[in-house]
Amino acid sequence: MTVQKIKNGIVIDHIRAGTGPRIFNWLKLDSAPFCVALIMNAPSNAMGKKDIIKIDNVLDIDYSVLGFIDPNITVNLVEAEHVVKKIQLSLPAKVENVIRCRNPRCITSSETGIPHSFKLVDRRRAEYACEYCDELYRAGIGDVL
């Protein structure tokens, strides 16, 4: 399989195998008017298999959300077909309006307009707590709005 180089854009690399389509859809790349590629189950020495997303356009992406989804993701910024910057993601200290609190007694469940805000409480376990009710959540694509 051959996928062309991108001229100017973004390569999201080292995505946990199988989660690429969810990120692709979260970024709304399925309706993008520019060239994009989703490569699934690519061989990886470090991961065994990985997914890769290539975007032949410059986008404003919230890297904290990508770090929440998978802190092992690497984002490569490409200009004139060369990588000009590599960004290694990590779990963000706080995420807002990325996940929704499932606690029915939480104020975010009964009041509108209140941001769904979560703080990182355990980096090793990738656990976040709702800032209003302390309900715990683990980071990952399954919880992203």
Side-chain angles (χ1 to χ4, degrees), residues 62 64-65 94-99 115-118 131-132:
D62 185 349
S64 66
V65 175
K94 181 178 178 178
V95 291
E96 193 168 287
N97 294 325
V98 174
I99 53 177
H116 293 264
S117 186
F118 292 81
E131 290 197 334
Y132 305 104

Side-chain angles (χ1 to χ4, degrees), residues 7-8 23 27 30-31 39 45 59 62-63 82 108-109 113 122 124 135:
K7 293 179 176 71
N8 297 297
I23 294 171
L27 292 171
D30 54 331
S31 59
I39 303 160
N45 291 334
L59 299 176
D62 185 349
Y63 296 128
H82 292 87
T108 60
S109 297
D122 188 335
R124 186 181 54 76
E135 185 81 13

Side-chain angles (χ1 to χ4, degrees), residues 101-116:
C101 187
R102 294 183 298 245
N103 180 353
R105 295 181 310 256
C106 182
I107 191 167
T108 60
S109 297
S110 59
E111 299 288 328
T112 59
I114 297 176
H116 293 264

Side-chain angles (χ1 to χ4, degrees), residues 11-15 23 61-76 86-92 123:
V11 177
I12 304 171
D13 198 359
H14 302 105
I15 302 168
I23 294 171
I61 296 175
D62 185 349
Y63 296 128
S64 66
V65 175
L66 287 180
F68 175 81
I69 293 168
D70 184 349
N72 298 312
I73 289 175
T74 303
V75 177
N76 299 312
K86 284 185 177 259
I87 302 168
Q88 180 63 49
L89 302 182
S90 62
L91 289 170
R123 184 169 298 281

